[in-house]
């Protein structure tokens, strides 16, 4: 019997309306730009490579991932090891003089920009516009009325010693350098009740300079708008979007876009625990005093009519992957700048990851050769096939839920040459992982790995060691070895996994010996990093030593809605 696969939902309800979030994963700090009939979105990518994701839509509701603008992070030497909460913070997306342009602040190095004639590239190498620590959330503006170019940015207190203010500069027309030392445009310490002002987006509208900027922190903040007749101020302020009586906490930090037919819309994020920052779409209008009104009179909407744009097929960024020719899809990112021998292409299917020798394998948070993608929101089952083609003792590979705490399931080559199933975890305050389940021998060297994730990001790990098991087609009866984590007693049974939305996950043995529930360790609660949602990851590695350690082959990565 085969379990029917359910595709992950999109925000499009199919009846002319949409439901938020329109991007139900960690597309943090989004910004959007329209060119013709096309809408393009980018988001923070922090220390992962490639960075600066590029998403495309024709209706602001259905989005696909079409590439990345940043192949490797710079300075390269700073990102040879994972920097999960550093790197690319809150980029701004603009189109000027026939080129797409993205600016961002790296809190440890300064403000960078890249540009390209097409959203698909080729993108220039990163150019440092302003060096310094604590410079974040940069946004340019080319003023068509005056011909002047400007830049605004915020500050990170952890590096600069202060925050809650926005600084503005005049900028060269080509966006490569600043023309002055900068002046404070908005000092929110002088505004009663305002704190953590950041993420500015700069616009020109109706004779005003506008800065859309959030404040109040990621989980409980609000969206502000500031306007002035002159770029250097003074600015007046207003809160234009806040949670109110809704269930959308901290609705803020995003970008305004005007459609071809003239409608105004605002894309922003909502902090959602381990799932990170989910992207919402809000209607926008201008009141009689010329101020923007977002959502439903300043409160976020959950369901709303779609923008007045041509109907599009339902879409969301890809999560599944068959790894044709050993290549991985655009949704995958390394946890640092990639190195030689991490992945190899070949004539068949399946992802071949080299078992890179490392002394860091006891803490995957510090391993750079982990291939990751975002954990989608909602109740899901994650499945991937794994074959361990490595004879080196201690060589291992697996499927991980990676965050400030993490847990993984996979295979490890024992000193006697057998492959053993292992399930390990590391709490947030630990500097090394430990067993979540007693390891157990397998009759072969291949396995189907599963993680069942509830809507509140609680995870249960299970497996099927049947040689012919394939993702999405767990058999009712199969050959394999399973064991109760409490007793360590083996039972010959295939494994069939399922989870109910909002409920605790479970793994149920089917057929074979008819042994009841198979529990692979305790439930694991996925956790985010400081600014980044939890990640799904694939990895391979081996202890330090001489010689080639072998490879791991992953096949048919699938994420199924429950």
């Amino acid at each position: 019997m085969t379990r029917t696969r359910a595709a992950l939902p999109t925000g499009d309800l199919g009846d002319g309306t949409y439901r938020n979030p329109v991007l139900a994963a960690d597309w943090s700090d989004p910004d959007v730009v329209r060119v013709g009939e096309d809408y393009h979105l980018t988001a923070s990518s922090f220390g992962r490579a490639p960075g600066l994701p590029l998403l495309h839509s024709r209706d602001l509701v259905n989005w696909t991932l079409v590439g990345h603008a940043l192949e490797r992070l710079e300075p390269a030497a700073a990102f040879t090891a994972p920097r999960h909460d550093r790197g690319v913070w809150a980029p701004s997306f603009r189109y000027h003089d026939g080129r797409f342009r993205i600016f961002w602040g790296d809190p440890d190095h300064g403000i960078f920009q890249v540009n390209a004639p097409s959203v698909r590239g080729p993108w220039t190498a990163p150019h440092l516009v302003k060096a310094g620590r604590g410079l974040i959330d940069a946004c340019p503006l080319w003023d068509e009325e005056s011909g002047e170019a400007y830049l605004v940015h915020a500050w990170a207190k952890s590096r600069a010693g202060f925050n809650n203010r926005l600084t503005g500069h005049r900028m060269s027309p080509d966006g490569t350098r600043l023309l002055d030392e900068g002046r404070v445009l908005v000092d929110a310490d002088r505004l009663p009740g305002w704190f953590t002002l950041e993420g500015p987006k700069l616009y020109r509208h109706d004779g005003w300079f506008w800065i859309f900027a959030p404040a109040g922190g990621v989980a409980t903040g609000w969206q502000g708008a500031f306007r002035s007749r002159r770029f250097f101020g003074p600015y007046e302020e207003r809160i234009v979007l806040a949670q109110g009586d809704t269930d959308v906490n901290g609705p803020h930090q995003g970008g305004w876009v005007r459609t071809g037919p003239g409608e105004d819309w605002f894309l922003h994020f909502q902090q959602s625990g381990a799932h990170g920052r989910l992207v919402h779409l809000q209607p926008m209008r201008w009141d009689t005093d010329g101020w923007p009104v977002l959502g439903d009179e300043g409160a976020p909407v959950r369901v709303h009519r779609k923008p007045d744009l041509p109907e599009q097929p339902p879409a969301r960024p890809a999560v599944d992957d068959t790894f044709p020719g050993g290549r991985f899809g655009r949704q995958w990112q390394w946890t640092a700048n990639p190195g030689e021998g991490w992945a190899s292409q070949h004539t068949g299917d399946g992802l071949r990851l080299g078992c890179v020798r490392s002394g860091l394998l006891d803490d995957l948070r510090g391993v750079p050769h982990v291939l990751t993608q975002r954990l989608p929101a909602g109740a899901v089952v994650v499945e991937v096939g794994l074959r361990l083609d490595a004879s080196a003792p201690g060589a291992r590979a697996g499927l991980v839920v990676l965050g400030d705490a993490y847990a993984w399931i996979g295979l490890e080559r024992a000193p006697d040459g057998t492959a053993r199933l292992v399930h390990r975890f590391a709490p947030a305050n630990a500097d090394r992982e430990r067993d979540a389940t007693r390891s157990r021998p397998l009759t072969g060297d291949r396995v189907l790995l599963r993680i069942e994730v509830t809507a509140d990001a609680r995870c249960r790990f299970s497996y099927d060691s049947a040689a012919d098991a394939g993702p999405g087609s767990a058999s009712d009866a199969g050959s394999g070895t399973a064991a109760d984590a409490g007793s360590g007693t083996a039972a010959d049974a295939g494994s069939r996994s399922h989870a109910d939305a909002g409920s605790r996950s479970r793994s149920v043995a089917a057929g074979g010996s008819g042994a009841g529930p198979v529990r692979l360790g305790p439930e694991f609660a996925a956790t985010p990093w400081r600014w980044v949602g939890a990640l799904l990851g694939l990895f391979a590695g081996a202890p330090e030593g001489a010689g080639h350690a072998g490879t791991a082959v992953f096949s048919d990565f699938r994420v199924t809605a429950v």
Side-chain angles (χ1 to χ4, degrees):
M1 180 172 133
T2 323
R3 178 166 55 82
T4 302
R5 295 192 70 229
L8 298 183
T10 71
D12 195 334
L13 296 179
D15 60 359
T17 66
Y18 69 90
R19 180 186 298 277
N20 279 316
V22 292
L23 284 167
D26 186 35
W27 302 96
S28 177
D29 314 316
D31 195 23
V32 62
V33 64
R34 177 179 70 89
V35 179
E37 298 179 350
D38 297 292
Y39 300 85
H40 306 281
L41 182 147
T42 192
S44 296
S45 51
F46 298 97
R48 304 192 300 276
L52 290 174
L54 302 168
L55 285 75
H56 172 258
S57 177
R58 284 289 184 94
D59 63 0
L60 295 173
V61 172
N62 295 286
W63 294 89
T64 57
L65 177 64
V66 297
H68 291 81
L70 187 63
E71 183 178 352
R72 301 174 67 88
L73 288 92
E74 296 290 346
F79 295 98
T80 57
R83 298 289 183 266
H84 297 289
D85 298 332
R86 302 184 183 186
V88 178
W89 283 21
S92 294
F93 212 168
R94 294 292 181 266
Y95 184 79
H96 171 70
D97 196 24
R99 298 186 73 85
F100 290 89
R101 301 171 188 269
I102 302 178
F103 284 66
W104 74 94
D106 177 319
D108 298 302
H109 300 102
I111 294 170
F112 292 86
Q113 64 100 341
V114 293
N115 59 85
S118 164
V119 75
R120 297 180 183 271
W123 288 86
T124 61
H127 174 79
L128 184 62
V129 178
K130 181 181 180 180
R133 286 177 55 81
L135 308 175
I136 59 171
D137 307 353
C139 183
L141 171 71
W142 286 267
D143 183 4
E144 294 182 358
E145 296 182 19
S146 68
E148 297 281 342
Y150 303 96
L151 184 87
V152 63
H153 68 82
W155 295 88
K157 187 174 183 179
S158 58
R159 277 74 162 184
F162 62 89
N163 67 349
N164 208 32
R165 69 185 64 169
L166 306 179
T167 295
H169 295 266
R170 284 191 170 88
M171 184 177 69
S172 62
D174 62 2
T176 61
R177 69 188 193 280
L178 303 179
L179 304 180
D180 56 34
E181 295 300 314
R183 290 165 53 183
V184 175
L185 303 185
V186 179
D187 183 353
D189 287 346
R190 299 175 178 270
L191 303 178
W194 287 70
F195 62 96
T196 319
L197 179 66
E198 58 188 353
K201 297 295 184 289
L202 186 57
Y203 307 98
R204 196 83 156 96
H205 172 69
D206 196 27
W208 297 88
F209 287 93
W210 288 92
I211 302 174
F212 285 30
V218 295
T220 58
W222 60 87
Q223 181 66 36
F226 300 80
R227 71 179 184 182
S228 174
R229 292 296 184 183
R230 299 186 303 246
F231 173 70
F232 287 108
Y235 283 83
E236 51 185 318
E237 82 284 346
R238 181 173 293 187
I239 294 175
V240 294
L241 185 69
Q243 179 173 355
D245 295 329
T246 75
D247 64 348
V248 182
N249 60 290
H252 71 302
Q253 188 150 345
W256 160 41
V257 65
R258 174 165 289 176
T259 68
E263 291 183 342
D264 294 308
W265 296 85
F266 185 76
L267 286 150
H268 66 91
F269 76 70
Q270 174 200 13
Q271 176 68 32
S272 184
H275 294 112
R277 301 175 183 182
L278 315 182
V279 177
H280 290 230
L281 176 67
Q282 301 297 334
M284 176 175 153
R285 64 178 178 83
W286 300 86
D287 69 14
T288 55
D289 294 326
W291 286 90
V293 180
L294 275 58
D296 181 7
E297 302 302 322
V301 300
R302 273 293 186 185
V303 177
H304 194 271
R305 70 163 181 85
K306 290 164 58 177
D308 182 18
L309 294 167
E311 192 70 21
Q312 302 296 319
R316 62 174 294 157
V319 290
D320 293 353
D321 205 343
T322 59
F323 310 112
R327 297 179 297 275
F328 48 85
R330 298 184 181 99
Q331 68 269 33
W332 297 97
Q333 297 169 289
W334 299 104
T335 51
N337 281 335
E340 293 293 329
W342 291 7
S344 58
Q345 296 184 15
H346 52 92
T347 57
D349 289 342
L351 175 68
R352 290 186 182 177
L353 295 184
C355 291
V356 179
R357 291 192 178 275
S358 171
L360 304 172
L361 293 182
D362 286 335
D363 189 347
L364 292 178
R365 292 164 295 201
V367 172
H369 49 276
V370 180
L371 192 62
T372 66
Q373 64 167 283
R374 294 159 179 82
L375 174 67
V380 298
V381 174
V382 183
E383 300 174 307
V384 68
L386 168 63
R387 186 178 77 245
L388 186 60
D389 290 342
S391 58
R396 67 198 68 167
L399 169 65
V400 61
V401 178
L402 187 64
D404 199 30
Y406 74 87
W408 67 276
I409 185 173
L411 298 178
E412 185 174 57
R413 188 65 65 188
D416 64 3
T418 61
R420 298 187 69 86
L421 180 87
V422 294
H423 176 28
R424 295 182 178 138
F425 78 105
N429 59 356
D431 60 359
R432 61 189 297 116
E433 63 188 34
R434 58 182 188 262
D435 286 337
T437 306
R438 294 183 180 94
S439 68
R440 62 206 65 188
L442 297 179
T443 56
D445 56 4
R446 67 178 64 202
V447 70
L448 174 66
L449 307 174
R450 297 189 185 92
I451 304 176
E452 309 154 42
V453 188
T454 63
D456 56 357
R458 304 187 70 85
C459 305
R460 176 64 51 76
F461 294 74
S462 61
Y463 77 103
D464 187 339
S465 61
D468 60 350
S473 58
S475 56
D476 279 344
S479 62
T481 303
D484 183 278
S487 66
T489 303
D492 191 21
S495 174
R496 180 181 175 193
S497 302
H498 62 281
D500 297 319
S503 70
R504 291 177 179 268
S505 304
R506 55 195 179 274
S507 176
V508 179
S513 67
V518 175
R519 299 178 60 87
L520 289 177
E523 220 171 46
F524 171 75
T527 63
W529 310 92
R530 187 178 182 188
W531 310 125
V532 183
L535 301 165
L536 296 171
L538 305 174
F539 76 95
E544 291 179 305
H548 178 61
T551 61
V553 182
F554 293 90
S555 59
D556 279 351
F557 183 94
R558 296 189 182 184
V559 181
T560 303
V562 177

